[in-house]
């Protein structure tokens, strides 16, 4: 899962590791009592149902010739009682197995989601979110039938098959072997198509993942699509991906559907052989074969092939589920590269001194984004970071928040190497507002409180007032209780940024990070915002990335970054006197604004 495109398949070249099934079994372990109950009930039900053909044989060969009406009535009542018990057992099994199956699916999906929460930014940088989502929802759901019915049915059907064979052998050994002669043929056919069937379901899961990725991308970009009139082009892409998925599905199902007619054909052939040979042997005077024996065998033959058909169906379900299980465990096994080191301790209460010592960093593309970067920010100072696009500005704040691991060097806060403390204790004391002002579905109050669940309503309102979001919030139909949609589609970009700003401020951070915090705010609002920020930033260490140089003129220090290096560093007046890169940038922007 290493390529970020909706039209590229995610390949799994390895042979299936049956250890994955053992891992799945561990999820079933906590519910083994329910599984054992279901298996015992179904085995007892199966064993009792095996008596019914024997009852018919006794009636045909003994009670009818003897005219024993009482015996016929008693066996008929016994047959009815067995049927009632079988129905009740089936109901109990359905309840137990579905409960187990859904509990396992819940646990599996929980572990998958929890692991996704821990994976670093680098994991999501390379993957369409739709391809991740399909694993949490669709792939886990596709295991439902296997977990709810497949395991119990397989065990009980295997035992039922043994019961049937034993009953058949007790009646007539020769006819039993005639009935079983089709099994080797079936085994060879299953083995022949096994690899192709698994491969077909792998391809199907790839195409489903691709389609899901494109749907997610298209929905997220629907405004751009309609703005550039791309509907027809996107529809053609969607139709192509959907067609690929349909073809892959039909190919996979074709292999699944092969087994059922094969089993039916072998069943009909062996049944015919039992009749032909049985009648010939009976006409030939073989005493062990009577009309009752043939009737009993007729009942057992249908029962004999029913569990084999079920087992073949389980085999199909297993191969289908394996293709999904591989993807699920592949995601769970994805290493968490940004994590607490062994022996990591909680970060003490931060005062705010930040230092970079010869920090090198490159993303997975191998291109250096920071090259021997060193600087020191004292407690309470505001540091502005400017420079051309791709220079490494956002990378600096990402590393300070430990969203990525550095290749070499050190990042210190209050003299403590941040790689030696727990990530949670570090981030809890930092307020971060990234370029993507993400708004979650829920109320405005919930969104501002997202980073500080213990904050009171008054504290939320105070944070909104400081960033000048209070007025537009109160103008909405329900004020702070107004429901907003995912990604804040009801709000303007500027409003989303102000809410995100309030969220970051409410966390009461010792270090505040603002990445393009005012890029979508109008000039008038920006002036008011600066007034509130001046109070808030006092005594806090802050890092501000901004393309609007007017917003960072009052910063204690401005760093001009280019090609991963600090080119210039100083306050606004100092850098203007140097007439270097910052000076040129400021003049070009000022001329443009003028």
């Amino acid at each position: 899962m290493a390529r970020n495109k909706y039209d590229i398949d995610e390949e799994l070249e390895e042979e299936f590791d049956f250890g994955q099934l053992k891992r799945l079994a561990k999820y079933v372990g906590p519910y083994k009592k329910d599984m054992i109950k279901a298996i015992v009930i179904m085995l007892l039900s199966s064993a009792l149902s095996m008596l019914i053909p024997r009852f018919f044989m006794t009636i045909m060969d003994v009670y009818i010739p003897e005219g024993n009406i009482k015996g016929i009535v008693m066996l008929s009542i016994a047959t009815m009682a067995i049927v009632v018990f079988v129905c009740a057992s089936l109901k109990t099994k359905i309840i137990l197995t579905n409960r187990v199956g859904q509990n396992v699916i819940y646990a599996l999906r929980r572990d998958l989601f929890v692991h996704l929460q821990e994976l670093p930014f680098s994991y999501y940088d390379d993957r369409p979110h739709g391809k991740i989502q399909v694993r949490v929802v669709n792939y886990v759901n596709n295991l439902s039938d296997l977990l709810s019915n497949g395991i119990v049915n397989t065990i009980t059907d295997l035992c039922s098959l043994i019961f049937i064979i034993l009953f058949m052998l007790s009646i007539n050994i020769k006819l039993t072997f005639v009935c079983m002669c089709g099994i080797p043929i079936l085994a060879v056919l299953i083995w022949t198509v096994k690899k192709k069937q698994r491969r077909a379901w792998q391809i199907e899961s790839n195409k489903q993942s691709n389609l899901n990725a494109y749907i997610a991308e298209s929905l997220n970009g629907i405004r751009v699509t309609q703005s550039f009139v791309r509907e027809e082009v996107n529809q053609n892409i969607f139709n192509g991906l959907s067609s690929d998925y349909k073809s892959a599905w039909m190919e996979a199902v074709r292999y699944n559907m092969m087994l059922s007619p094969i089993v039916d054909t072998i069943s009909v052939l062996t049944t015919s052989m039992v009749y032909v040979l049985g009648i010939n042997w009976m006409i030939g005077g073989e005493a062990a074969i009577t009309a009752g024996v043939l009737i009993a065998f007729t009942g057992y033959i249908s029962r004999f092939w029913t569990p084999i058909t079920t087992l073949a169906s389980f085999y199909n379900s297993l191969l289908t589920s394996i293709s999904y299980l591989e993807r699920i465990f592949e995601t769970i096994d994805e290493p968490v590269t940004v994590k607490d080191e062994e022996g990591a301790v909680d970060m003490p209460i931060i005062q705010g001194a930040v230092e970079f010592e010869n920090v090198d960093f490159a993303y997975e593309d191998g291109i250096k984004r920071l090259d021997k970067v060193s600087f020191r920010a004292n407690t309470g100072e505001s540091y502005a970071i400017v420079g051309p696009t791709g220079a490494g500005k956002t990378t600096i704040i990402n590393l300070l928040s430990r969203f990525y691991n550095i290749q070499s060097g050190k990042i210190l806060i209050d003299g403590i190497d941040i790689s030696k403390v727990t990530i949670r204790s570090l981030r809890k004391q930092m307020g971060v507002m990234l370029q993507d002002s993400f708004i979650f579905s829920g109320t405005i109050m919930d969104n501002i409180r997202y980073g500080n669940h213990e904050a009171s309503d008054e504290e939320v309102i105070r944070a909104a007032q400081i960033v000048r979001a209070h007025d537009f919030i109160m103008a909405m139909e329900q004020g702070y209780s107004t429901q907003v949609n995912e990604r804040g589609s009801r709000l303007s970009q500027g409003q989303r940024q102000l809410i995100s700003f309030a969220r970051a401020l409410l966390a009461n951070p010792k270090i505040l990070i603002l990445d393009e915090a005012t890029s979508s705010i109008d000039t008038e609002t920006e002036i008011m915002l600066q007034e509130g920020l001046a109070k808030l930033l006092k005594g806090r260490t802050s890092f501000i990335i901004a393309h609007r140089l007017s917003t960072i003129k009052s910063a204690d220090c401005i760093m001009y970054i280019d090609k991963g290096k600090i080119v210039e560093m100083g306050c606004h007046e100092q850098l203007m006197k140097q007439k270097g890169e910052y000076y040129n940038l400021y003049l070009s922007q000022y001329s443009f604004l003028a």
Side-chain angles (χ1 to χ4, degrees):
M1 210 172 142
R3 287 168 291 195
N4 188 13
K5 288 201 68 179
Y6 59 78
D7 57 350
I8 295 180
D9 293 339
E10 305 165 291
E11 295 296 336
L12 277 176
E13 301 296 341
E14 304 85 9
E15 288 292 322
F16 177 70
D17 179 8
F18 280 92
Q20 304 285 36
L21 293 179
K22 291 182 181 178
R23 290 179 66 177
L24 184 62
K26 290 180 181 179
Y27 284 89
V28 181
Y31 312 102
K32 60 184 178 183
K33 288 185 179 179
D34 281 345
M35 296 291 283
I36 291 172
K37 284 180 187 177
I39 290 169
V40 169
I41 290 171
M42 291 308 297
L43 287 178
L44 182 58
S45 169
S46 177
L48 289 174
S49 67
M50 294 302 107
L51 295 172
I52 295 176
R54 192 88 185 202
F55 290 168
F56 290 162
M57 185 181 74
T58 302
I59 290 171
M60 291 293 296
D61 290 346
V62 180
Y63 289 167
I64 290 179
E66 292 178 353
N68 187 348
I69 303 300
K70 182 179 178 181
I72 294 173
V73 171
M74 293 299 293
L75 288 183
S76 298
I77 293 172
T79 299
M80 290 178 62
I82 290 173
V83 170
V84 171
F85 179 80
V86 168
C87 292
S89 299
L90 183 61
K91 178 182 177 181
T92 304
K93 186 220 55 164
I94 291 172
I95 293 172
L96 290 173
T97 55
N98 276 281
R99 184 165 66 198
V100 170
Q102 290 307 307
N103 282 332
V104 171
I105 284 173
Y106 169 81
L108 194 60
R109 183 177 283 123
R110 177 201 60 211
D111 288 354
L112 186 57
F113 183 77
V114 167
H115 189 68
L116 287 171
Q117 298 287 296
E118 296 174 347
L119 289 173
F121 281 11
S122 56
Y123 178 81
Y124 298 96
D125 291 341
D126 294 331
R127 294 157 175 85
H129 292 178
K131 289 193 176 186
I132 300 172
Q133 180 183 344
V134 74
R135 299 180 181 223
V136 182
V137 182
N138 302 54
Y139 288 3
V140 176
N141 284 346
N142 285 328
L143 297 176
S144 178
D145 187 58
L146 175 70
L147 294 168
S148 298
N149 299 303
I151 298 173
V152 170
N153 286 348
T154 299
I155 294 173
T156 54
D157 284 337
L158 280 172
C159 294
S160 296
L161 195 58
I162 294 172
F163 291 155
I164 294 167
I165 292 172
L166 291 175
F167 272 95
M168 292 169 68
L169 287 171
S170 69
I171 295 174
N172 190 280
I173 295 176
K174 290 172 67 175
L175 289 178
T176 301
F177 282 115
V178 171
C179 184
M180 295 174 61
C181 68
I183 292 180
I185 300 172
L186 179 62
V188 170
L189 291 172
I190 289 175
W191 182 260
T192 302
V193 301
K194 175 175 72 75
K195 286 188 177 180
K196 291 182 179 180
Q197 191 173 359
R198 177 185 175 234
R199 180 60 184 161
W201 281 109
Q202 281 185 338
I203 294 172
E204 183 274 340
S205 70
N206 286 337
K207 301 308 180 185
Q208 182 182 170
S209 179
N210 293 347
L211 181 61
N212 200 78
Y214 187 70
I215 291 172
E217 178 182 298
S218 297
L219 293 179
N220 286 332
I222 191 64
R223 285 173 175 77
V224 178
T225 295
Q226 294 183 0
S227 297
F228 286 90
V229 198
R230 279 267 306 191
E231 293 91 343
E232 187 174 343
V233 175
N234 288 6
Q235 183 178 337
N236 290 335
I237 295 173
F238 174 83
N239 288 341
L241 293 171
S242 186
S243 178
D244 290 343
Y245 174 64
K246 181 186 73 173
S247 300
W249 170 265
M250 294 301 294
E251 180 68 11
V253 168
R254 184 172 69 85
Y255 283 109
N256 273 25
M257 294 298 103
M258 286 174 61
L259 283 180
S260 182
I262 289 172
V263 172
D264 289 343
T265 301
I266 294 175
S267 171
V268 170
L269 290 175
T270 53
T271 302
S272 301
M273 289 174 64
V274 166
Y275 277 126
V276 171
L277 294 175
I279 291 172
N280 282 334
W281 289 335
M282 186 171 62
I283 293 173
E286 189 166 331
I289 298 179
T290 63
V293 169
L294 283 178
I295 290 175
F297 252 87
T298 301
Y300 282 126
I301 286 174
S302 62
R303 284 173 168 78
F304 176 79
W305 286 104
T306 296
I308 290 179
T309 303
T310 304
L311 290 171
S313 176
F314 171 75
Y315 177 78
N316 280 334
S317 177
L318 183 63
L319 284 179
T320 304
S321 300
I322 280 173
S323 66
Y324 300 126
L325 196 62
E326 289 171 318
R327 303 294 188 187
I328 292 169
F329 283 133
E330 179 196 43
T331 305
I332 291 178
D333 291 339
E334 189 72 30
V336 180
T337 54
V338 180
K339 60 183 178 180
D340 295 339
E341 288 189 0
E342 188 175 347
V345 297
D346 284 349
M347 184 74 184
I349 295 176
I350 290 176
Q351 301 304 313
V354 175
E355 187 172 2
F356 275 52
E357 292 184 356
N358 296 316
V359 173
D360 284 339
F361 177 76
Y363 293 104
E364 291 186 2
D365 57 14
I367 300 174
K368 261 194 176 184
R369 302 307 166 102
L370 294 184
D371 185 8
K372 304 297 181 186
V373 169
S374 297
F375 68 87
R376 177 179 174 81
N378 296 319
T379 302
E381 289 185 339
S382 58
Y383 263 59
I385 308 173
V386 299
T389 301
K393 302 185 298 295
T394 300
T395 300
I396 288 177
I397 64 173
N398 281 340
L399 297 181
L400 180 58
S401 303
R402 277 208 70 192
F403 292 140
Y404 300 88
N405 290 323
I406 61 177
Q407 272 72 55
S408 64
K410 286 184 180 180
I411 300 176
L412 309 172
I413 295 180
D414 299 335
I416 299 172
D417 188 341
I418 65 172
S419 67
K420 307 300 181 184
V421 301
T422 61
I423 294 173
R424 182 178 178 82
S425 68
L426 173 68
R427 293 177 185 166
K428 285 287 284 185
Q429 300 187 66
M430 300 175 70
V432 182
M433 181 179 169
L434 301 175
Q435 285 175 297
D436 182 12
S437 303
F438 195 94
I439 300 297
F440 297 88
S441 58
T443 66
I444 292 177
M445 181 77 75
D446 291 338
N447 268 279
I448 297 175
R449 194 184 273 130
Y450 190 83
N452 184 359
H453 295 294
E454 298 177 358
S456 66
D457 290 356
E458 291 75 18
E459 289 171 323
V460 170
I461 293 170
R462 176 59 182 158
Q465 288 172 336
I466 290 174
V467 302
R468 299 299 190 264
H470 179 74
D471 290 343
F472 87 77
I473 293 174
M474 293 305 298
M476 302 186 79
E477 64 269 21
Q478 293 180 312
Y480 285 86
S481 298
T482 301
Q483 293 283 335
V484 290
N485 303 326
E486 180 186 350
R487 303 193 71 89
S489 58
R490 294 185 57 193
L491 305 169
S492 70
Q493 178 63 25
Q495 289 172 333
R496 290 199 293 272
Q497 282 196 313
L498 289 176
I499 289 175
S500 298
F501 212 166
R503 177 195 298 161
L505 302 184
L506 188 64
N508 192 26
K510 297 295 184 180
I511 297 175
L512 186 62
I513 296 173
L514 309 175
D515 188 353
E516 293 296 338
T518 61
S519 61
S520 297
I521 299 172
D522 60 81
T523 304
E524 183 179 350
T525 304
E526 183 185 341
I527 293 171
M528 293 189 297
L529 178 61
Q530 292 294 338
E531 296 172 1
L533 282 179
K535 298 177 182 178
L536 183 74
L537 296 181
K538 188 175 182 180
R540 303 176 193 271
T541 306
S542 58
F543 292 87
I544 306 166
I545 296 176
H547 284 104
R548 278 188 191 174
L549 301 186
S550 59
T551 65
I552 50 102
K553 285 175 61 177
S554 60
D556 294 310
C557 183
I558 300 171
M559 293 189 297
Y560 187 96
I561 307 291
D562 192 12
K563 298 179 181 178
K565 294 184 177 183
I566 299 177
V567 179
E568 295 177 345
M569 189 171 177
C571 67
H572 173 73
E573 290 76 13
Q574 291 171 335
L575 295 180
M576 290 299 290
K577 287 179 182 178
Q578 291 179 17
K579 295 189 177 182
E581 296 295 336
Y582 177 80
Y583 174 83
N584 294 331
L585 179 65
Y586 186 82
L587 287 187
S588 66
Q589 189 173 109
Y590 181 82
S591 300
F592 175 75
L593 292 174

